Amino acid sequence: MITTIQFKTLDDLFQFYNNRLFEGKLPECIVNMSRKGGSYGFFAADRWKGDSMQKKIIHEISINPDFMDRPDKEWHSTLVHEMCHLWQHDFGNPSRNCYHNKQWASKMIQVGLMPTDTGEPGGKQTGQQMSHYVIEGGLFDNVFNALGADELENLRLKYRPLPASFRMLPVPVPPPGKSADTEKAEDKEGDWEKSGKRKRYTCGCGNHVWGKSGLWIRCEECNMLFLED
């Protein structure tokens, strides 16, 4: 029953925000959880198919459970962020290589989330790596704040992740605004080149790249960080 309860809540959340923010127009989507990468969540188009009788292709939204210990409004906004990607895939014109374009940014603002590459006011609204914040008085803010105590309890996950510090596992979180090609101040490219010490990184897709230790590299296919093996 635990699995049923947990994933039904995720499905209920998707349907709730689909009805309230997208007029119920988004197609069915599998919402699951994945700890791979340092991302809050990601949207992956056409990742599932029905049986031979249905021949139905289904999208996926995955939420990183390590960040579900944030306030409900914050991690719910991550789900809505990914739902905007789903909307653009089926009803708009997404850019290639997971680029967050103006159409996506406009939809985000329409549903009440302000896109920003820094996670703070004043950041760029489009780009390869994007975050957001909740617009005070915007649609999402009003919909969430209108939830009664019983309604919110029904949409609240019954099982929440233990903090990473308790589990003694590091949770990789990229600093706001840090790009994949930003180097640490103490790193010297020449020293790394001479030493020949290369590290292997793996993303959520299972792809690999090699480079010096400490890089922040995001996969353009699954929109998740490559983690150092």
Side-chain angles (χ1 to χ4, degrees), residues 21 73 111-113 134-146:
L21 303 179
K73 181 186 285 188
V111 301
L113 302 179
V134 176
I135 300 172
E136 186 174 355
L139 182 57
F140 173 81
D141 190 45
N142 290 337
V143 165
F144 183 90
N145 291 339

Side-chain angles (χ1 to χ4, degrees), residues 118-216:
T118 64
E120 302 292 339
K124 294 180 180 179
Q125 295 184 5
T126 60
Q128 199 66 44
Q129 300 182 41
M130 296 298 298
S131 183
H132 69 265
Y133 62 87
V134 176
I135 300 172
E136 186 174 355
L139 182 57
F140 173 81
D141 190 45
N142 290 337
V143 165
F144 183 90
N145 291 339
L147 284 168
D150 291 340
E151 290 179 299
L152 183 58
E153 185 60 33
N154 289 334
L155 293 173
R156 179 170 284 134
L157 287 178
K158 304 305 184 287
Y159 303 92
R160 306 293 285 268
L162 288 171
S165 58
F166 182 87
R167 293 184 287 111
M168 302 300 291
L169 293 172
V171 178
V173 183
K178 184 163 185 172
S179 63
D181 59 356
T182 301
E183 296 178 2
K184 295 181 180 179
E186 64 270 20
D187 286 344
K188 293 183 179 180
E189 188 171 329
D191 293 343
W192 174 74
E193 289 178 344
K194 292 177 181 178
S195 68
K197 295 180 179 178
R198 298 196 305 163
K199 301 292 184 179
R200 191 178 79 161
Y201 295 77
T202 306
C203 73
C205 303
N207 295 323
H208 305 296
V209 297
W210 283 260
K212 65 181 178 181
S213 180
L215 292 177
W216 289 100

